Amino acid sequence: MVKPYMIAPYAVLVKSGGWIIEPIGVSGEKVVPEAYRIPVAEYLATQVG
């Protein structure tokens, strides 16, 4: 279940470079939970700047 109030914080983590949206198979990587990947990507796509 996606909690809307968690989308922006995950987006900030991705934008800062600390987390990634899709796993790439590297040990120790921090990845957005699967249920949040599309909502976070859509949120980032709509942000200006």
Side-chain angles (χ1 to χ4, degrees):
M1 180 169 151
V2 174
K3 297 177 181 174
Y5 62 85
M6 290 300 297
I7 295 171
Y10 281 130
V12 169
L13 291 169
V14 170
K15 194 170 183 179
S16 71
W19 287 46
I20 56 176
I21 292 180
E22 289 290 328
I24 56 175
V26 177
S27 176
E29 65 189 358
K30 294 181 181 177
V31 182
V32 173
E34 189 172 350
Y36 287 92
R37 291 179 189 161
I38 292 174
V40 169
E42 290 173 345
Y43 179 87
L44 288 170
T46 62
Q47 299 302 300
V48 177

